[in-house]
Amino acid sequence: MATKKVKTYCRFCHAYCPMEATVENNRLIAIEPDTSNELYGGYTCIKGRQLGEQIYHPTRLQQSLKKQPDGSFSDIGSEQAMDEIAAKLQAILAEFGPRSIASYNGTYSYQNSAAHAVARAFHNAIGSPSFYTSVTIDQPAKVAIGPARMGWWNAGSHMWCDADVAMIIGNNTLVSHYSIPGGIPSFSPFNALREGKKRGVKIICIDPRETEVASRADLHLQVKPGQDAALIASIIQVIIAEELYDKEFCAQHTRGFEQLDSQTRAFTPELVARAADIPAAQIREAARMFGAGPRGSAVTGTGPEMGPHPNLLQHLVQALNAICGRHYREGERLPNPGVLTAPMQRRAQATSPQPQWLSDGVRSRVSPELGEIFVLSPYGPQGEMPTAVIADEMLEPGEGQIKALICVGGNPLLAWPDQEKTLKALSGLELLVCIDLKMAATAQLADYILAPKLCLEREDVTLLTDIWHDRAYSQYTPTVVEAEGDKIEEWEFFWAIGKRMGLEMSLDNGPIDMERKPEKFDLLNTITAGARVPLAQIRDVEGGAVHPAPDVIIEAADPATQGYLDLFPAGLEEELAAALRDTTTPNPEGFSHLLVSRRMKNTYNSTGPELTLLKGKGTTNPAFMHPQDLGQLGIAAGDIVEVYSAHGRIPAVVAASDDIKPGVISMSHCWGGSPAPSAGTDARVREMGSNTNRLIDNRQHAEKYSGMPRQSTIPVAIRKLS
Ligand SMILES: Nc1nc2c(c(=O)[nH]1)N[C@H]1C(S)=C(S)[C@@H](COP(=O)(O)OP(=O)(O)OC[C@H]3O[C@@H](n4cnc5c(=O)[nH]c(N)nc54)[C@H](O)[C@@H]3O)O[C@H]1N2
Ligand SMILES: Nc1nc2c(c(=O)[nH]1)N[C@H]1C(S)=C(S)[C@@H](COP(=O)(O)OP(=O)(O)OC[C@H]3O[C@@H](n4cnc5c(=O)[nH]c(N)nc54)[C@H](O)[C@@H]3O)O[C@H]1N2
Ligand code: SF4
Ligand SMILES: [Mo]
């Protein structure tokens, strides 16, 4: 029996841990950490070690399915399914126009490096702007609104590897394996943390929970949720008052410093301390610790970015980094000049704000203040429509109403804010196509489901993480095992549909052959054209590697293109006033607690609960609460309660956890099933969890420019169910 070992990497999450697979007769028989990898040192997590079970899981779809008139599903060949889908799309296009055809590219669309580029090529070819992703209900302030309003520093801000201090605001990399580069790196995070601590990096963690990161921090501000913008304003104020900022940098590269100073003065540590329920001395200590630096960044994660005032918070965090000058300067070595993608410029200069990105794009039909969101990427700004209001775009009749949705590796029924509205919107479509590995909650509503190849069944390259690493690292993986059954890649779907519709499709760097299906490698080669290290060279290296290339030294500013960072853009004054008001606004009457989001170690959004090892660790998303709160409410761990907000109600299984701030309920998203009463999911809360998006109104508190609803810090109350 021929046994082979293949070096590959896990794509269950965005950490891309290197693995070694053992394969016998095209069957994966073992998947182990690649201990020879210099960057990860053999790090993996429990999810990655389940890849084998995921591939051969009995619930995995082996081929495409088509919904029958009676609501049941029948097998259908993928070619036949795509013939029918293309014909339907053609008819919808002819009757309702290009905008009526939308795609939602969820979590797993990011895990196939060719998926987005080919999906965009399809949209461009039919002229449909209705391209949606999960990023716009994740942290749009960080990737889009923040840089558009303040501008950005071309050489980037200090990464963990060069930091003396890190301020980590609601980001728990040790579980999420997700952080922007100034925080604890997502790649082998425990090692990175240990290495940083040895170097003397000081960690300030701001989180209502004593998280895995918080318990290892030098200073933990266990805040009441929702006050982060006020808190950072206060920290900025202490730093300015105590002259801990970088005067020279501010004078040379920023505008609006005086206004930032005068307009944040109202945020005294005493006022903010009362609002956030922490000692005022901790705010001063945090400011002094961060101000002392001399190097290191402040970063945010999903908790605060989904709470109140995310645009303001993100702006203040970027402003804090800017006034402290936490940016790479002329003559310094760029930690990671990129392998497949490059930082936009390698100069010690700012690119000025791009306010046109906030108003110039295609507008939303349902909310005139909203429109295309330009996400800053190494390829330049890429426009996408706001997922916050996609359900309304499906429900609102009239020209441009979305009639068809192609859902790629996402699970809208569980992930989008306002679950009941989402159900109504998805149910009303003329055509819903899902590319999903299982009968997920959304897939159950689909007209067609296509079965995808999983990560070990396709070649790929670490394009997504290219500039998140602190070294010039990349990995190319061959296909480890050939997929059995009738399965496709996400990009193949868009190509196949485009071919049937007679479209001419193009990538940014060149046309796609619409006669003969391109090879994956050739596609990736075109997508990464101009890479610092050519793709073929990366493919030739077995396993992941740091690429030996000459150091890239940051160049002097170019006077012709040099810009500035705007510390006080238009609109900030009103946003600060609103955050100030919130410091003295109590929870709404009748709502005793604030519900916040969190990630669970053993699952990834809605992926994973079906796997046995992960399942053994829990099959619900408990409502974690402080024992003191449980005592007061007469509730015991394991009880089923009803959690209700002004918008909806869900059952939940209570878990006691003394790492939560009293008054806060910490609960994960993307659990449960359909909210339709006939689905009977509420009764099964212990085995499938429940969906926090039923508690959320997607239009209330909609953030300017992104429409980001309040998906965390939701006022709720609890009632024990008999
Ligand atoms: N194992 C696992 N990993 C994942 C995921 C998963 O489901 N499981 N999901 C992935 C996804 S989609 C993403 S976007 C990333 C997200 O990655 P992270 O942003 O690191 O996500 P979390 O671990 O939820 O951390 C958010 C933290 O914010 C805190 N928080 C909540 N409200 C507030 C607040 O008002 N203020 C402050 N300061 N903190 C607050 C929470 O207590 C929590 O500790 O993780 C990814 N990684
Ligand atoms: N209230 C609240 N809502 C939230 C959040 C929150 O914190 N609170 N978090 C938000 C965030 S940060 C995000 S990113 C979104 C997540 O939003 P989504 O991406 O829409 O949700 P997921 O559950 O990640 O969906 C992944 C789907 O892909 C399928 N899948 C798994 N592996 C593969 C694969 O290899 N290929 C394909 N094609 N499919 C696969 C899974 O079965 C699942 O149905 O949710 C958002 N919603
Ligand atoms: S952290 Fe876990 S799930 Fe993520 S890539 Fe590594 S092994 Fe896979
Ligand atoms: Mo996310």
Side-chain angles (χ1 to χ4, degrees):
M1 207 179 281
T3 303
K4 61 172 183 169
K5 298 253 184 201
V6 187
K7 284 188 191 280
T8 184
Y9 62 93
C10 173
R11 281 148 278 170
F12 204 121
C13 92
H14 306 90
Y16 292 176
C17 298
M19 300 277 207
E20 192 168 70
T22 309
V23 180
E24 243 174 50
N25 297 332
N26 196 41
R27 189 150 181 109
L28 182 77
I29 56 168
I31 183 90
E32 288 154 321
D34 179 357
T35 48
S36 69
N37 186 279
E38 62 181 304
L39 209 128
Y40 291 75
Y43 179 84
T44 57
C45 83
I46 186 174
K47 298 186 292 305
R49 297 191 291 268
Q50 298 300 290
L51 287 176
E53 194 197 339
Q54 192 185 41
I55 290 183
Y56 304 116
H57 200 273
T59 63
R60 181 170 176 201
L61 300 181
Q62 295 299 328
Q63 67 161 94
S64 306
L65 297 173
K66 178 185 180 180
K67 184 167 262 165
Q68 302 303 309
D70 69 355
S72 66
F73 285 94
S74 307
D75 292 352
I76 181 173
S78 61
E79 295 294 327
Q80 173 69 25
M82 291 190 291
D83 285 344
E84 296 181 16
I85 293 166
K88 289 197 172 148
L89 287 173
Q90 196 80 64
I92 291 171
L93 185 63
E95 189 177 349
F96 301 105
R99 196 165 172 156
S100 67
I101 297 177
S103 70
Y104 168 68
N105 302 274
T107 300
Y108 284 90
S109 71
Y110 287 88
Q111 306 296 52
N112 186 334
S113 302
H116 278 213
V118 182
R120 281 185 183 276
F122 170 79
H123 277 266
N124 292 341
I126 59 169
S128 168
S130 305
F131 180 86
Y132 293 83
T133 76
S134 45
V135 152
T136 53
I137 47 165
D138 188 325
Q139 302 169 75
K142 187 189 287 180
V143 294
I145 319 302
R149 295 210 298 181
M150 191 173 106
W152 63 91
W153 188 252
N154 293 183
S157 22
H158 293 153
M159 296 174 92
W160 173 265
C161 61
D162 289 314
D164 303 299
V165 64
M167 184 182 284
I168 297 173
I169 309 160
N171 174 214
N172 193 22
T173 322
L174 294 177
V175 167
S176 69
H177 299 95
Y178 192 71
S179 180
I180 61 161
I184 299 170
S186 332
F187 315 102
S188 191
F190 287 91
N191 274 338
L193 179 68
R194 214 172 298 124
E195 173 275 330
K197 290 213 124 193
K198 226 194 261 166
R199 244 189 313 120
V201 182
K202 292 264 181 291
I203 301 169
I204 305 155
C205 182
I206 301 171
D207 201 302
R209 220 192 108 211
E210 190 186 345
T211 59
E212 288 71 2
V213 169
S215 64
R216 291 162 175 86
D218 296 274
L219 180 62
H220 176 206
L221 277 57
Q222 193 164 12
V223 288
K224 179 179 171 193
Q227 299 292 338
D228 299 87
L231 177 61
I232 304 304
S234 186
I235 287 174
I236 286 178
Q237 198 39 236
V238 174
I239 284 180
I240 294 177
E242 301 192 3
E243 301 197 35
L244 299 173
Y245 62 102
D246 186 333
K247 289 182 190 148
E248 202 182 310
F249 187 86
C250 288
Q252 272 184 18
H253 300 291
T254 71
R255 290 188 191 170
F257 180 85
E258 284 72 26
Q259 265 170 304
L260 181 70
D261 175 16
S262 63
Q263 300 286 329
T264 49
R265 284 195 193 174
F267 295 87
T268 62
E270 282 66 29
L271 175 87
V272 174
R274 264 194 307 281
D277 190 29
I278 49 170
Q282 275 197 347
I283 300 180
R284 293 201 171 82
E285 194 184 348
R288 287 172 192 149
M289 197 181 271
F290 187 76
R295 292 159 76 91
S297 307
V299 298
T300 58
T302 46
E305 293 273 345
M306 292 179 180
H309 314 297
N311 290 350
L312 174 64
L313 169 66
Q314 186 51 226
H315 177 81
L316 292 173
V317 169
Q318 290 175 13
L320 174 64
N321 288 331
I323 65 169
C324 294
R326 300 300 161 81
H327 299 305
Y328 288 105
R329 311 296 176 86
E330 181 186 345
E332 289 184 328
R333 183 185 157 273
L334 215 53
N336 175 14
V339 179
L340 294 155
T341 55
M344 273 145 280
Q345 274 198 49
R346 291 146 179 170
R347 291 186 182 279
Q349 69 182 53
T351 293
S352 298
Q354 310 292 324
Q356 71 281 10
W357 291 356
L358 303 171
S359 56
D360 280 4
V362 177
R363 305 318 292 166
S364 158
R365 294 166 54 250
V366 297
S367 171
E369 307 94 70
L370 297 179
E372 221 173 343
I373 295 174
F374 291 92
V375 176
L376 196 55
S377 86
Y379 304 104
Q382 306 250 18
E384 49 185 88
M385 297 301 283
T387 298
V389 293
I390 185 174
D392 302 85
E393 298 276 7
M394 295 172 177
L395 291 167
E396 177 77 21
E399 210 189 316
Q401 181 181 13
I402 293 175
K403 297 283 187 181
L405 181 73
I406 301 162
C407 174
V408 187
N411 201 351
L413 188 58
L414 302 188
W416 291 353
D418 198 335
Q419 201 195 19
E420 255 124 36
K421 187 189 277 185
T422 300
L423 176 63
K424 201 166 156 218
L426 294 170
S427 307
L429 290 169
E430 306 252 323
L431 177 67
L432 174 61
V433 178
C434 288
I435 308 181
D436 205 301
L437 89 165
K438 64 180 180 191
M439 265 296 181
T442 309
Q444 290 174 31
L445 304 172
D447 300 295
Y448 295 88
I449 311 165
L450 289 115
K453 295 183 179 176
L454 291 186
C455 66
L456 299 185
E457 296 166 336
R458 48 183 175 74
E459 63 185 316
D460 218 324
V461 68
T462 52
L463 180 59
L464 179 72
T465 55
D466 196 63
I467 52 169
W468 296 347
H469 287 282
D470 58 13
R471 280 188 276 172
Y473 175 89
S474 69
Q475 176 165 10
Y476 199 97
T477 173
T479 296
V480 174
V481 285
E482 295 296 338
E484 289 161 6
D486 179 7
K487 305 199 177 82
I488 57 160
E489 289 199 35
E490 293 77 5
W491 66 269
E492 288 176 307
F493 173 80
F494 287 101
W495 182 86
I497 295 294
K499 180 178 165 68
R500 285 164 170 81
M501 291 171 74
L503 303 177
E504 290 297 328
M505 288 169 39
S506 269
L507 301 168
D508 288 350
N509 298 320
I512 302 176
D513 186 344
M514 297 305 292
E515 285 304 312
R516 242 187 69 250
K517 189 161 74 182
E519 294 293 327
K520 175 91 175 264
F521 177 83
D522 294 334
L523 257 185
L524 293 178
N525 207 27
T526 310
I527 292 168
T528 60
R532 217 163 61 91
V533 183
L535 195 63
Q537 202 174 311
I538 297 169
R539 185 180 55 176
D540 288 347
V541 179
E542 207 199 349
V546 175
H547 289 269
D551 279 354
V552 172
I553 303 300
I554 296 158
E555 294 164 45
D558 171 6
T561 56
Q562 181 166 24
Y564 63 91
L565 302 174
D566 190 352
L567 299 177
F568 211 85
L572 208 72
E573 197 168 341
E574 298 78 66
E575 291 172 32
L576 280 167
L580 189 63
R581 271 196 306 279
D582 278 4
T583 58
T584 50
T585 310
N587 281 3
E589 183 90 41
F591 297 103
S592 50
H593 287 67
L594 292 172
L595 180 97
V596 299
S597 286
R598 69 175 305 138
R599 265 72 199 154
M600 309 269 278
K601 209 182 209 144
N602 303 316
T603 51
Y604 201 75
N605 303 332
S606 67
T607 304
E610 67 278 13
L611 304 176
T612 46
L613 188 54
L614 308 184
K615 204 171 180 168
K617 309 274 175 179
T619 52
T620 189
N621 54 335
F624 290 98
M625 295 178 70
H626 196 277
Q628 182 188 311
D629 282 357
L630 296 183
Q632 274 170 13
L633 292 161
I635 294 170
D639 282 354
I640 295 182
V641 294
E642 181 174 76
V643 180
Y644 59 96
S645 69
H647 187 72
R649 51 193 65 236
I650 55 170
V653 180
V654 169
S657 189
D658 57 12
D659 61 15
I660 316 277
K661 193 173 183 74
V664 178
I665 302 178
S666 168
M667 199 169 170
S668 187
H669 61 292
C670 282
W671 284 75
S674 169
S678 60
T681 51
D682 282 1
R684 295 165 61 204
V685 60
R686 284 191 198 277
E687 62 183 278
M688 65 192 303
S690 65
N691 195 268
T692 55
N693 279 316
R694 269 161 78 184
L695 303 173
I696 293 165
D697 180 341
N698 74 319
R699 302 299 291 276
Q700 219 200 348
H701 303 296
E703 189 70 350
K704 212 169 162 186
Y705 309 121
S706 67
M708 185 74 186
R710 199 160 295 178
Q711 292 179 172
S712 188
T713 315
I714 321 287
V716 294
I718 306 114
R719 179 165 40 227
K720 189 171 165 173
L721 293 180
S722 52

